[in-house]
Structure formats: structure tokens, C-alpha cells
């Protein structure tokens, strides 16, 4: 299944008082687009409510979640994380980093 062959990355900002900026090129990922970003934030660590890319996640009546990724096509764009937040990055199966790490798609 091609969907299962995508490469993902988890980034966590443990800092309680400072935003962080992550440039994926610092990790030798030269061609990192297109990619989908899911940045998860909450009012505090004990919050029962989260936001994904600034929006409340929606769970459908069929039990599936409807998440709306931030689509990134600019390879110069850095990932910005709020204090005590985390983000998931999913590289498109067409990006060079996915091709390199997961192999060519058939």
C-alpha cells in the first residue's frame, strides 16, 4: 500500500516558554516538499481540548477523524512550534526524501 510507505517525522517542543523554529534542511533533507504538517497545541499540558493547525479536530459520525493538514510546497519554509507543543510531518510519496528513505513507488 503506497499510503503506508510515506515517511513521517515527529517534532516535540518541550520548552515551556519559548517557540522553536525547525529547519529540516539542518537534518540533511534537501528536498522536503511537498509535505503535510499537523501542529498540535493546547492551552496547557492538562487540557482536554487540543487544536490541530489552529482548529479543533472533527470526528465524523463514522468514527473517522477529519484532519486538515497544512500543505507545504515551499522548501524554505521552517516548522514553527509553540511552547509545549508537537507536530507531525508527513512527506509526500513524491518528495525526494520519501523516495530516498522508502524506495521508488511502483
Amino acid at each position: 500500500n503506497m499510503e503506508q510507505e510515506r515517511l513521517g517525522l515527529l517534532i516535540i517542543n518541550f520548552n515551556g516558554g519559548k517557540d522553536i523554529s525547525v529547519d529540516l534542511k539542518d537534518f540533511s533533507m534537501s528536498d522536503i516538499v511537498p509535505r503535510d504538517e499537523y501542529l498540535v497545541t493546547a492551552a496547557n499540558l492538562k487540557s482536554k481540548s487540543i487544536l490541530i493547525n489552529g482548529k479543533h479536530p472533527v470526528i465524523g459520525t463514522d468514527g473517522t477523524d477529519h484532519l486538515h493538514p497544512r500543505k507545504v510546497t515551499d522548501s524554505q519554509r521552517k516548522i514553527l512550534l509553540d511552547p509545549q507543543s508537537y507536530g507531525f510531518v508527513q512527506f509526500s510519496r513524491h518528495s525526494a526524501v520519501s523516495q530516498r528513505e522508502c524506495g521508488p513507488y511502483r
Side-chain angles (χ1 to χ4, degrees):
N1 183 335
M2 283 196 278
E3 289 297 313
Q4 294 174 345
E5 294 179 4
R6 288 200 224 181
L7 181 66
L9 178 68
L10 170 65
I11 303 169
I12 304 172
N13 181 2
F14 287 111
N15 192 319
K18 184 178 177 186
D19 295 349
I20 63 167
S21 173
V22 179
D23 188 343
L24 294 179
K25 289 186 178 188
D26 292 341
F27 299 96
S28 299
M29 295 179 168
S30 60
D31 185 5
I32 54 173
V33 292
R35 69 178 188 254
D36 293 339
E37 297 177 353
Y38 301 88
L39 306 179
V40 182
T41 57
N44 60 61
L45 291 176
K46 295 182 180 183
S47 179
K48 293 183 179 183
S49 177
I50 64 167
L51 299 175
I52 301 176
N53 295 332
K55 299 178 183 176
H56 290 281
V58 177
I59 307 298
T61 55
D62 59 355
T64 59
D65 52 2
H66 301 278
L67 306 177
H68 301 284
R70 179 177 296 147
K71 303 277 186 187
V72 178
T73 57
D74 178 1
S75 65
Q76 301 300 313
R77 182 171 173 168
K78 296 178 181 180
I79 299 170
L80 303 173
L81 288 174
D82 291 340
Q84 296 180 336
S85 67
Y86 58 95
F88 297 96
V89 180
Q90 186 174 39
F91 298 98
S92 166
R93 65 179 184 235
H94 302 292
S95 69
V97 70
S98 282
Q99 292 285 330
R100 184 177 69 234
E101 300 301 329
C102 300
Y105 291 92
R106 301 166 220 15

